[in-house]
Amino acid sequence: MNTITSGNRGSVLIVDEMHVSLLPMLEKIGYVPDYQPKIQRQEIMDILGNYEGMLIRSKTRVDDELLKNATQLKFIGRAGAGIDLIDEVVAEERGIVVFAANEGNRVAVAEHIIGMLLVLMNNLLIADRQVREGKWLREENRGYELLGKTVGIIGYGNNGAETAKRLSAFGCKVLAYDKYKVGFSDAYATEATMKEIFDKADILSLHIPLTKETFQLVNSNFLNSFANDIYFVNASRGEVVVLEAIVEGLNSGKIKGACLDVLENEKLSQLNQKQKETFDQLIKSDKVIFSPHIAGWTHESYVRINEVLIEKIEKLFN
């Protein structure tokens, strides 16, 4: 373990698996990295008082208990988008700056969403499986084009804006709603109300953090508010969506297809009975495609996230 040393700003504890390029990047701006990706929660609590910074990804929940000994901690950075794992109020009370590398994986997320939509709307998984089984079914696998579709995007931050940029290149009309922004229409999306999205969208893509406001935002009432039957995409946070409502929408036809990169419980071996029943129905549907929370998880973004973290540390403390 590296402790704070004279001649440098101090040590940074890295508690998750991250691309090793992070270590020389931290050293270059004057910090001593302490890379402990296998460290457990109690161990973090025991040693956190020795560090000026901590960098996390997804395994560590940062709350008052974890920070009780963090007397020297100045910042907590998350290698990824969103800071729902961090109690911002507690951190602020302790004078700790919190930030995430939201910009680092926005291209990866946007490209992943496009890929999922193209696969779903063109029946590529179904057709591939059938051909491997010796079936050559052309008419049954006739697909739909993105061109001319109206896409509703909820949340117009880094990922939402980058996704809008990609979708507009396919000839989509993009309507974007963001509760906390106004006047953000640009070349790729038009600012809209939720009512306009409910009335006009053919495709819905979520780009919102997990908060008390967004928890289970997408339920049956929400989905039934759409005038059109829609394709549904969630690459944000699983707990934003009530998965039972997705099953209901698929059964009723309100949802033409769903792209799910995230789930309410991503520990598939630990699903409760209700979650297992819902998941079993989803995996039986050819109208659903999954990926294991990898929308922002490319080889390029793995490094880019580190670059964004370093840029933010430098900006905040130089």
Side-chain angles (χ1 to χ4, degrees):
M1 180 182 71
N2 295 309
T3 55
I4 294 175
T5 310
S6 59
N8 61 60
R9 292 194 188 95
S11 292
V12 177
L13 180 62
I14 304 161
V15 302
D16 280 287
E17 295 280 355
M18 297 188 194
H19 193 276
V20 293
S21 62
L22 180 62
L23 309 185
M25 289 181 189
L26 280 167
E27 290 171 344
K28 186 175 181 179
I29 62 171
Y31 285 92
V32 178
D34 188 1
Y35 186 48
Q36 299 198 44
K38 305 298 184 184
I39 194 170
Q40 299 301 308
R41 182 178 175 85
Q42 185 59 54
E43 296 174 289
I44 296 172
M45 292 165 57
D46 291 342
I47 66 174
L48 197 52
N50 295 325
Y51 298 87
E52 285 191 17
M54 179 169 64
L55 298 177
I56 71 170
R57 187 179 290 280
S58 299
K59 83 175 184 185
T60 304
R61 183 166 294 281
V62 180
D63 52 21
D64 190 53
E65 180 189 45
L66 191 82
L67 297 175
K68 65 181 181 180
N69 297 323
T71 54
Q72 300 187 70
L73 202 65
K74 293 181 179 179
F75 65 85
I76 302 168
R78 178 163 187 271
I83 51 176
D84 45 277
L85 287 171
I86 304 170
D87 189 326
E88 292 182 83
V89 174
V90 168
E92 185 178 352
E93 288 172 351
R94 294 175 176 271
I96 300 168
V97 179
V98 173
F99 54 90
N102 294 347
E103 302 90 338
N105 62 5
R106 59 189 178 188
V107 171
V109 170
E111 290 190 1
H112 192 91
I113 286 171
I114 295 294
M116 292 186 89
L117 280 170
L118 291 174
V119 167
L120 183 68
M121 295 172 68
N122 290 281
N123 300 316
L124 294 184
L125 289 182
I126 301 169
D128 176 80
R129 183 178 69 244
Q130 290 173 345
V131 172
R132 292 171 190 273
E133 294 171 351
K135 301 173 184 176
W136 196 263
L137 304 176
R138 298 184 67 225
E139 181 57 35
E140 292 85 344
N141 288 303
R142 190 186 293 271
Y144 291 91
E145 298 174 5
L146 280 171
L147 178 67
K149 301 294 187 294
T150 297
V151 182
I153 284 181
I154 303 180
Y156 205 65
N158 286 288
N159 289 340
E162 197 70 31
T163 302
K165 184 176 181 180
R166 297 300 190 278
L167 286 166
S168 65
F170 277 84
C172 295
K173 178 180 181 181
V174 181
L175 302 178
Y177 171 79
D178 194 309
K179 184 175 181 179
Y180 299 100
K181 291 184 177 181
V182 293
F184 58 83
S185 293
D186 56 26
Y188 310 112
T190 301
E191 183 178 353
T193 64
M194 272 309 306
K195 185 179 186 309
E196 289 174 300
I197 289 176
F198 284 142
D199 289 346
K200 299 176 182 179
D202 302 302
I203 299 167
L204 177 69
S205 186
L206 303 180
H207 299 267
I208 49 181
L210 176 62
T211 66
K212 290 179 180 179
E213 282 185 302
T214 63
F215 177 70
Q216 296 191 340
L217 170 71
V218 179
N219 55 26
S220 294
N221 288 337
F222 180 95
L223 292 170
N224 288 329
S225 298
F226 284 87
N228 301 326
D229 298 336
I230 62 168
Y231 288 98
F232 176 77
V233 184
N234 187 16
S236 60
R237 290 292 185 268
E239 298 94 329
V240 170
V241 178
V242 179
L243 281 182
E244 289 176 294
I246 302 300
V247 172
E248 290 174 13
L250 290 165
N251 290 338
S252 70
K254 176 53 66 177
I255 297 179
K256 298 170 72 174
C259 304
L260 302 176
D261 180 58
V262 290
L263 299 173
E264 58 184 345
N265 184 354
E266 295 174 0
K267 297 178 179 178
L268 299 184
S269 63
Q270 299 176 24
L271 301 180
N272 62 39
Q273 187 59 37
K274 185 178 179 181
Q275 291 170 338
K276 189 175 187 309
E277 289 172 0
T278 302
F279 182 66
D280 286 346
Q281 292 180 74
L282 289 171
I283 63 176
K284 291 174 183 175
S285 175
D286 282 335
K287 297 177 183 178
V288 180
I289 63 170
F290 300 94
S291 53
H293 203 150
I294 55 168
W297 194 253
T298 62
H299 292 284
E300 292 87 353
S301 71
Y302 202 21
V303 176
R304 194 177 298 120
I305 283 170
N306 290 347
E307 295 169 346
V308 173
L309 287 173
I310 295 300
E311 288 170 7
K312 292 193 174 185
I313 293 169
E314 278 200 291
K315 185 177 180 180
L316 287 166
F317 297 102
N318 274 359

